[in-house]
Amino acid sequence: MSSEKKGINTICTHVGELEDKTYKGAVSPLYMSTSYAFEGVDIKRYPRYFNTPNQMALSQKIAALEHAETAMIFGSGMAAVSTAILAFLQAGDHIILQRMLYGGTYSLITEQLNKFGIEYSFIDESRPETFEKAIRPTTRVVYIETPSNPLLTITDIQAFARIAKRHGIISLIDNTFASPVNQNPIDLGIDVVIHSATKYMGGHSDILAGAVACSRAHMEPIFQLAKNLGGSLSDYTVWLLERSIKTMGIRVKAQNENAQKLAEFLENHSDIARVYYPGLPTHPDHELAKSQMHGFGGMMSFELNEALDASLFQKSLKLIKSSMSLAGVESTVLSPTQTSHALLSAEERAKQGIKDGLIRFSVGIEETEDLVQDIEQALAEVKKRQMAVQP
């Protein structure tokens, strides 16, 4: 089915689906084989070559969602990140990245690139002019993430893409926090879009996967490296992911609405010191977010007043779960210093503005009133218990 002029929910539901020609079932059939014929066939299929029927069908759906020519599915978000980055770099090359990144990506860069003779620079301010000043003759790639994890900073996608093109540099973006529902970076000039499909694409906290979407020309080096690294995804998980993406549009829109309400509630709460959410007019990048996003997303972070124990608050929540990941239909919280950014040094976290008491909040699809009530009772519990131990 062509994605041309189709709405987001129609693309999520129908593009890339496989037809059940035998039994006419309503959902895509699942092809579990790891061995396919090699004589008399147009495509020599093998799971590690990312070309089984289910892999190829799901790739079409993700490409349509990101307005790309093609896409590939990986075994995890970091498999997608590492393969996409390394595909365009070799010894002696240079990559520029914004400093505010997912902790796993930051760790990949700082712990692995030196082994390959690849140089890197982090820019402290995600501004186009800062990036352009960091460009060297050997710069081959620029990598951005917006909204960023965990402080929800917003980077000017179009401006970065324009500069990259002017200098002949490949531009990559981690679009996980936004999802294709809220942001389509290829329309703004970005070359390669990366997702942890574990998050909003999966959406039910039961799938580990990654995705890359781009032009066929840019996909060629990614594919050549990917088939050697072997980061493919099992067809059963591919099938589950295709099923999950069918509801991504309605899930994400519900999460957008909930997050906006929760952010406004928290910002006006006397026990909350600060809220990081691009949908708030007080967010420093609110106008930029409005210009490049279709919705502000289901992710935010916040800090309690200094006197309140953030760890105790998370333990006191009853409905909202303490969880290592994000973007499921259930609302979750975590401490970035203990999870997503634990690999960073305390000094690096401080440089990025990630405080020990920061709480990252992934808003689900529950009733907003129930989430508010849970937060209120947790805050009350923290104050009661802290009062009980005071002399």
Side-chain angles (χ1 to χ4, degrees):
M1 175 185 176
S2 172
S3 63
E4 187 177 356
K5 297 182 180 178
K6 296 294 188 296
I8 184 71
N9 290 321
T10 304
I11 294 172
C12 285
T13 305
H14 291 293
V15 172
E17 63 183 349
L18 292 171
E19 182 183 356
D20 182 355
K21 296 181 179 179
T22 303
Y23 298 107
K24 308 300 180 184
V27 301
S28 298
L30 169 58
Y31 297 93
M32 290 291 289
S33 181
T34 58
S35 181
Y36 289 86
F38 71 94
E39 290 185 343
V41 295
D42 294 330
I43 301 174
K44 292 179 173 56
R45 300 184 188 275
Y46 188 59
R48 187 166 57 80
Y49 293 166
F50 302 85
N51 64 0
T52 64
N54 291 98
Q55 287 173 333
M56 292 182 69
L58 180 55
S59 293
Q60 291 173 20
K61 187 186 294 289
I62 292 174
L65 286 166
E66 280 294 11
H67 308 168
E69 289 182 350
T70 189
M72 279 178 59
I73 315 299
F74 289 81
S76 69
M78 280 309 300
V81 168
S82 58
T83 306
I85 288 175
L86 292 173
F88 299 103
L89 296 169
Q90 59 185 1
D93 287 346
H94 175 244
I95 177 174
I96 302 171
L97 310 96
Q98 69 180 66
R99 188 173 294 277
M100 298 289 275
L101 291 173
Y102 167 58
T105 305
Y106 186 90
S107 179
L108 167 73
I109 299 302
T110 57
E111 294 183 13
Q112 303 300 326
L113 290 198
N114 287 335
K115 299 177 183 179
F116 300 102
I118 298 168
E119 297 183 314
Y120 57 86
S121 298
F122 289 106
I123 51 175
D124 291 316
E125 297 180 2
S126 298
R127 296 178 181 174
E129 59 270 24
T130 312
F131 156 53
E132 193 158 25
K133 290 177 182 178
I135 294 175
R136 306 175 186 174
T138 55
T139 304
R140 300 290 177 262
V141 174
V142 59
Y143 186 102
I144 61 176
E145 177 183 309
T146 182
S148 72
N149 184 356
L151 294 178
L152 287 300
T153 57
I154 305 297
T155 300
D156 189 332
I157 298 172
Q158 196 165 33
F160 269 77
R162 190 182 299 119
I163 294 171
K165 279 183 167 51
R166 186 162 69 240
H167 290 270
I169 297 169
I170 305 295
S171 56
L172 281 68
I173 186 172
D174 183 336
N175 200 34
T176 299
F177 264 30
S179 88
V181 179
N182 289 327
Q183 187 168 271
N184 301 114
I186 286 175
D187 293 347
L188 300 172
I190 289 290
D191 294 316
V192 180
V193 178
I194 305 167
H195 284 275
S196 170
T198 307
K199 310 306 190 296
Y200 286 106
M201 289 184 180
H204 294 79
S205 305
D206 57 6
I207 288 171
L208 184 70
V212 172
C214 57
S215 67
R216 292 185 180 86
H218 285 125
M219 188 62 79
E220 183 58 25
I222 296 173
F223 166 69
Q224 293 301 332
L225 178 61
K227 69 180 183 180
N228 290 327
L229 295 180
S232 59
L233 191 63
S234 77
D235 279 298
Y236 180 62
T237 309
V238 169
W239 184 86
L240 288 173
L241 183 55
E242 195 259 346
R243 171 220 60 184
S244 295
I245 290 177
K246 288 184 178 185
T247 62
M248 180 174 65
I250 57 175
R251 283 189 283 103
V252 169
K253 287 178 181 177
Q255 287 165 305
N256 288 348
E257 293 174 7
N258 272 359
Q260 185 69 40
K261 294 176 183 177
L262 266 295
E264 292 170 0
F265 159 73
L266 290 169
E267 186 178 46
N268 293 310
H269 200 291
S270 59
D271 291 328
I272 306 301
R274 186 168 181 182
V275 181
Y276 303 85
Y277 185 66
L280 293 173
T282 52
H283 189 288
D285 302 320
H286 176 65
E287 292 302 318
L288 176 59
K290 283 172 62 177
S291 72
Q292 65 187 28
M293 300 181 75
H294 316 307
F296 297 114
M299 296 300 303
M300 73 180 74
S301 290
F302 63 94
E303 298 163 4
L304 305 183
N305 287 340
E306 195 169 314
L308 299 177
D309 187 326
S311 177
L312 181 57
F313 167 78
Q314 294 179 71
K315 293 174 183 175
S316 300
L317 292 165
K318 296 179 179 179
L319 179 64
I320 301 168
K321 301 176 186 294
S322 177
S323 176
M324 287 279 288
S325 195
L326 60 97
V329 292
E330 64 285 331
S331 292
T332 62
V333 292
L334 60 68
S335 165
T337 60
Q338 297 181 45
T339 56
S340 62
H341 291 70
L343 295 174
L344 276 64
S345 66
E347 292 75 19
E348 180 57 37
R349 287 196 297 269
K351 187 180 294 185
Q352 293 191 24
I354 302 171
K355 298 181 180 179
D356 288 345
L358 182 73
I359 298 169
R360 195 184 72 188
F361 187 10
S362 173
V363 181
I365 64 170
E366 304 94 339
E367 301 303 324
T368 311
E369 295 79 7
D370 295 330
L371 297 173
V372 167
Q373 184 178 16
D374 194 33
I375 291 170
E376 290 279 29
Q377 70 80 25
L379 288 169
E381 180 68 15
V382 170
K383 287 185 279 189
K384 183 179 76 172
R385 293 176 64 176
Q386 289 188 187
M387 286 286 290
V389 298
Q390 288 180 0

